[in-house]
Structures are given as C-alpha cells and as structure tokens.
Amino acid sequence: MSDSVFRKKSVVKAVADLDQSESSHLQKILGVRDLTSFGIAAIIGAGIFSTIGRASVNGGPAVSLLFVFTAIACVFTALSYAQFASTVPVSGSAYTYAYVSFGELFAWIIGWALILEYAVSNMVVAISWSEYFTSMLEGFGIQFPAYWGTDYGSAARAYAEVQASASPASLSANTRELAQAFQDAPMLGGLRLIADLPAGVITVLITALVYVGIKESRTASNILVVLKLAVIGLVIAAGAFYVKPENWSPFAPNGVSGVLSGVASVFFAFIGFDSISTTAEECRNPQRDLPRAMIYCLIICTVLYVLITLVLTGMVNYKELGVDDPLAYVFQKVNLNFVAGVISVSAVIAITSALLVYQLGQPRIWMTMSRDGLLWPRFSQIHPRYRTPSFATIITGVLVAVPSLLLDMQFFIDLTSVGTFFAFILVCGGILYLDAKDLSRHSKFKVPYVNGKYLIGLALIVTLVLVFRSGGFISSIEEKPLLAFFWLTWTVLSVLSFRYNFSLLPVLGILTNLYLMTELGVSNWAIFVVWLVIGLLIYFSYGYRKSKLAPGNS
C-alpha cells in the first residue's frame, strides 16, 4: 500500500494529461502583465488595508522588518514555484508540484491544505471588505444596521463583556458598539439574527464574475489594481508629511517576540503570489511568463508594504493601530478626513480584486485534483460557453460565503497559515528532488544554483553558537517545542547537503518557512490537524481507489 499512496506522476504525463483533458479548452489569454496584476491583486488586499494594523500593535514600527524577513522567505519559495511553473505548466499549483515530486499522498495533503488556504483567505478578504463598506456608508451618512455587518460570535462576546464590566464606559468603543448590535438585533424565537451580510453578498457577486469567464475577470482585476496602487501611492505621499520620527521610538517595543507575534498576519499578506500558478492553463506562455510575474509582484508588494508600515507607525503611535481600517484611521487622526474618505471608498473597490483572484484560484485546484481522479468528476466540468470550471466555482462561492456571514476575521487569519507554510516547504523540497533526479532539464526557468555543501552546515554551527551564548536555547524550546523539530530539520539538511550538494536557496526556503511555522499558536496546528484528518478520510475512502494512477483506472 505504501508504494501506491506515494505513486508519482511524471512531468511528461502531467503535461500530456493536460493536453488530453477537457480543461485544455480553457481560454489562453493571460500575459505577464495580467499575471503580475493578479499577483498584486492577491497580495495587496486585506493584508495592507486591515491586518497590517493588528500586526503593528504588538510589533511596533519594527513590523516593517518582519515584512522584509517574510518577503525573503517568500522569495526563496517564489523562485521554487517559478521553476515548477516553468516545468509543469498545469493549474494545480503546489498540488501538481508535489504530485511529480513526492507522490500522490503528499499531493492530496497539499491540495487539501490549499483548499483551506484559498477558502479561508477569501473569508478574511470578504470580512475586511464588509468592514470598509459599512465604514464608507457611514461617511456618506448612511447607517448600516450593525447587526447585519458583524458576526454572531463577536457581538455575543462583546455583549457578555459589557454585562460583566463594572465600568462599561472604560471598554473600547468597538466593544461597546458590538454589544449594542447584539442588543438591537431582531429575534427569531430565542435566537438573535446577526450576520455579516455585505461579506456574503460580495462573495456571491464575485463568484458570478469568475463563473462568467477569465477574460472578464482579467479586465476587472487590471482596473482594480491600478486603482489600488493609486490609493497606496496617495497614502504614502500624503502620510509622509505627517510622520513624526518620535513615533518610531521605541522601534521594537516588545522585542523580537513582539515582532514575530504578528507573523500570522504578516505572512497572510504575502500568500497570494502562489495563486498566479493556478491560472497556468490560461496563460499564453506559462513557462516564460509565470516565473517573471511571481518575482515582479513580490518585489513590488514588499516595497509597498514596508513603506506603508513605516508611514502608519510614523503618523500615530503603534498602540493605536489595533483597528479594522488602519489606513483610514490614521488620516482621521491627523484631520485629513478627505484622504480617509478616499481610502475607505477605494478600499471597498480595491479589496474586491483580492477576493476575485482567490475565487479564481480555488476552483482550478479542485479541477486539477478531479482530473486526476482524486475528487468527483463534476469538479473538472468545464462550462461549454464560459470555458470556466463551473461546478467547482459554484461550490467555492458557497463554501466562502456562508462562513464569512457567521465567523470573525482573526479566527480565519490564524487558520490559514499552517497549511500554506506546509505547502511552501514541500514546493521548496520538490526543487531538491527535481535536481537530484535530473528532472530540472525540463525547466525553462531554474532557481539560481548556489552550492550549499558547506554553507548550510556552517550556518547551522554559527547560529547554534550565537543562540547558546545568549543562553536562550533550552528556554526557547521549552516555550516553543516545535523549535526542536526546526533544529533537527536543519541538522538533517546540513548532512544531506554535504552528501548531495543541495542548492542553497530551496533549503533556505524550507528553513525560513519552517521557522515561521514555529511562531504559530497551538490552536492553528490543532485545527489544521482536524482538517487534515478529514481530508485523509476522503482520500482513502474515494481518491485512493479512483485515482487515475490506480491499477485499472489509467
């Protein structure tokens, strides 16, 4: 059985299956500019308009460095994605890459993790869109019912907190508003009717656009990205005049641990670059354009994130940024209400582009998994007129819209990161496999080779010496047990690199992503494990038997 669950699809077969499948009739209309636009649309979404404030509260101005560190981790990963995209130009993203590298079971795990990543990411974006939408309406004097613009859990917790408080007036304004929303909500029997309607409605509308076609989605994305970049340029240019350098001191008020506590929020802001690879089958020249687009969008977005963070933390004290709409908030603080209004209106439009790209990505991963026999055949069904994966798109819309109506944002931010890190690690590891098996000869783009024979082990020794000298080695492992696995992995990679001359950059990608995983909370891992168990039950009850690589099914 172990041989069969790790059965691999060859690079040649992966491309041949594409040519023979119905999905090969997808419209090939995307160029490097369109792909870069999709990448920017996905990366600069809820992260820059919302979660950036949450990360700054604990990390202070030093969160700008966390963006740089996370971007470096993403660069190593993006280069690995780029090589795979040029080798296997198929819409399955990391799922397909794992299939040709590590076999079917790992491919399923990654595909299942990506389903979680894309769905959860879209829920965050939809909820963020709703917050900016209701804020925009208030700016025009329209009071949207608060109980139709939040989730039940947040409102109920706020109400309980107010009831338990001896001094409700001392609680935050947001807490008091949510409690009031809970109290004002209409009743159905004994249940208060509270739901985030704007989040659900925008998800349905975007799903309809994605269903209609890739050409319409491309046009909408390009327009929205131009608007988004214009707004960010306005924020940076206008905000620079109101920066007070004293707000940058202390730069890291809570030390390294405070900065790294925002890793889930910051990393969430970057994960969109892999969504580009899901459109591989709709690219005119995927082997040339996908690698370029991934690198272009990552560089552009990193620069913008760092500048935005420095401007925000320079305009107001970092402690004030724990709000849902930090960009609009800081301009209101300096009495630039016009700019704040422009940001709120533009954010409503601009965040839509991120929602669009994620809604494009998930159905195409399902389509590829279905084409391999691991999911039901309907998921690979292509609409005869619109040339899109129609059934998968509808299911995606339902699975995103319903939870975004009922659950809160922070739950989803924490949930999305574990599976994403895991996918990124396997993609980086896959490059080492391609090199070892001489499959890189199929690649039109290759990760720049730097021999890690001695460098990886030397870096391990130097790092361990520094950590031991600081006296924090044992205490850090006691605090975060996963660090022990990180050091063990680094040791194993050092030995393997010495024996097999591993390429340095993919190894750095593995280590940086693994280290970032150790910064995530236990709840993230617990939920991911539950999700993984559900996925394995589906695989062994259906996918294992129906796989195109199973005996008698090819």
Side-chain angles (χ1 to χ4, degrees):
M1 179 173 174
S2 61
D3 290 338
S4 59
V5 297
F6 294 112
R7 52 201 172 204
K8 296 183 180 72
K9 178 183 286 191
S10 69
V11 172
V12 174
K13 179 171 175 55
V15 177
D17 286 349
L18 167 64
D19 294 335
Q20 297 168 9
S21 69
E22 183 186 5
S23 62
S24 63
H25 301 140
L26 297 171
Q27 297 185 65
K28 296 182 180 295
I29 64 170
L30 301 178
V32 67
R33 185 181 64 180
D34 303 316
L35 294 169
T36 303
S37 176
F38 277 139
I40 294 173
I43 295 174
I44 302 182
I48 205 163
F49 284 104
S50 184
T51 60
I52 194 172
R54 298 170 186 265
S56 298
V57 170
N58 290 323
V63 165
S64 57
L65 299 181
L66 181 57
F67 276 107
V68 175
F69 176 64
T70 308
I72 291 172
C74 286
V75 165
F76 300 140
T77 308
L79 289 171
S80 299
Y81 262 93
Q83 178 167 336
F84 265 117
S86 74
T87 309
V88 195
V90 179
S91 289
S93 184
Y95 157 78
T96 299
Y97 308 156
Y99 217 150
V100 302
S101 303
F102 301 106
E104 186 171 281
L105 181 60
F106 277 103
W108 170 267
I109 291 172
I110 289 301
W112 191 245
L114 287 175
I115 290 172
L116 180 67
E117 173 197 331
Y118 279 92
V120 167
S121 298
N122 253 358
M123 294 168 198
V124 174
V125 177
I127 294 168
S128 180
W129 185 94
S130 173
E131 291 168 346
Y132 271 95
F133 176 74
T134 53
S135 175
M136 179 194 72
L137 291 181
E138 288 177 10
F140 287 109
I142 302 172
Q143 192 64 42
F144 191 83
Y147 46 81
W148 292 136
T150 190
D151 64 281
Y152 184 92
S154 295
R157 285 192 299 270
Y159 182 76
E161 188 175 349
V162 168
Q163 293 300 305
S165 175
S167 176
S170 65
L171 298 175
S172 69
N174 185 56
T175 299
R176 296 196 305 272
E177 289 170 5
L178 286 173
Q180 189 63 46
F182 184 86
Q183 190 170 339
D184 294 342
M187 302 282 289
L188 181 63
L191 179 67
R192 294 185 185 273
L193 300 180
I194 301 174
D196 198 340
L197 286 184
V201 170
I202 190 60
T203 301
V204 172
L205 293 177
I206 290 296
T207 301
L209 174 62
V210 171
Y211 184 90
V212 168
I214 187 67
K215 185 181 295 184
E216 293 76 9
S217 301
R218 176 195 64 179
T219 302
S221 174
N222 289 343
I223 293 172
L224 293 172
V225 165
V226 169
L227 173 62
K228 184 186 301 188
L229 293 179
V231 172
I232 292 171
L234 172 65
V235 169
I236 294 171
F241 290 101
Y242 292 86
V243 167
K244 297 177 181 178
E246 57 266 29
N247 285 329
W248 290 333
S249 181
F251 193 67
N254 297 311
V256 175
S257 60
V259 175
L260 290 176
S261 67
V263 69
S265 296
V266 170
F267 190 80
F268 169 77
F270 276 104
I271 62 175
F273 75 83
D274 70 326
S275 62
I276 301 175
S277 61
T278 65
T279 62
E281 295 172 28
E282 289 148 299
C283 301
R284 290 193 294 268
N285 191 343
Q287 293 174 307
R288 182 196 67 188
D289 292 344
L290 281 171
R292 293 181 181 181
M294 287 181 185
I295 303 303
Y296 291 164
C297 73
L298 202 54
I299 292 172
I300 292 169
C301 294
T302 301
V303 172
L304 293 176
Y305 270 131
V306 170
L307 291 176
I308 281 286
T309 306
L310 290 174
V311 167
L312 289 183
T313 55
M315 291 178 68
V316 302
N317 187 280
Y318 68 93
K319 295 178 182 178
E320 299 181 44
L321 292 173
V323 294
D324 293 323
D325 51 352
L327 271 67
Y329 173 79
V330 295
F331 283 98
Q332 289 171 343
K333 284 286 291 184
V334 297
N335 296 318
L336 286 180
N337 292 321
F338 171 75
V339 177
V342 170
I343 291 171
S344 292
V345 174
S346 302
V348 170
I349 302 171
I351 294 178
T352 307
S353 64
L355 188 62
L356 187 154
V357 174
Y358 285 124
Q359 286 296 88
L360 273 174
Q362 184 169 330
R364 284 151 180 79
I365 292 174
W366 273 345
M367 174 190 72
T368 309
M369 295 175 74
S370 172
R371 191 167 62 207
D372 291 333
L374 303 186
L375 285 177
W376 296 273
R378 289 201 66 184
F379 280 97
S380 57
Q381 176 181 306
I382 303 299
H383 194 282
R385 176 182 174 188
Y386 300 129
R387 315 311 307 167
T388 57
S390 51
F391 179 76
T393 300
I394 292 172
I395 297 300
T396 297
V398 172
L399 291 184
V400 172
V402 174
S404 65
L405 283 168
L406 306 173
L407 299 175
D408 72 300
M409 180 187 288
Q410 191 59 47
F411 172 82
F412 292 124
I413 291 173
D414 292 339
L415 182 57
T416 188
S417 299
V418 177
T420 306
F421 281 130
F422 189 53
F424 283 6
I425 287 170
L426 283 192
V427 170
C428 292
I431 296 300
L432 301 178
Y433 173 84
L434 292 185
D435 290 344
K437 297 297 183 180
D438 195 32
L439 294 174
S440 292
R441 68 181 185 276
H442 297 288
S443 307
K444 292 191 177 181
F445 172 89
K446 295 181 181 179
V447 176
Y449 179 78
V450 178
N451 193 334
K453 184 180 183 73
Y454 302 107
L455 292 175
I456 295 166
L458 180 62
L460 172 64
I461 295 171
V462 171
T463 305
L464 282 174
V465 169
L466 293 174
V467 173
F468 271 109
R469 280 188 174 180
S470 70
F473 184 80
I474 301 300
S475 60
S476 63
I477 291 180
E478 289 175 348
E479 183 182 349
K480 297 174 182 174
L482 280 171
L483 278 174
F485 182 69
F486 168 77
W487 292 116
L488 177 63
T489 302
W490 196 343
T491 302
V492 171
L493 286 173
S494 298
V495 174
L496 294 176
S497 297
F498 183 80
R499 292 186 60 186
Y500 300 110
N501 297 318
F502 278 174
S503 177
L504 177 64
L505 297 185
V507 172
L508 290 177
I510 293 171
L511 292 175
T512 48
N513 283 298
L514 184 58
Y515 179 76
L516 289 171
M517 286 181 79
T518 67
E519 293 295 328
L520 300 176
V522 175
S523 61
N524 303 50
W525 285 93
I527 295 171
F528 179 68
V529 169
V530 172
W531 177 257
L532 185 60
V533 169
I534 295 172
L536 290 175
L537 289 174
I538 295 174
Y539 171 71
F540 284 109
S541 63
Y542 181 87
Y544 172 71
R545 295 180 295 104
K546 298 292 186 178
S547 168
K548 294 293 179 65
L549 297 186
N553 291 345
S554 57

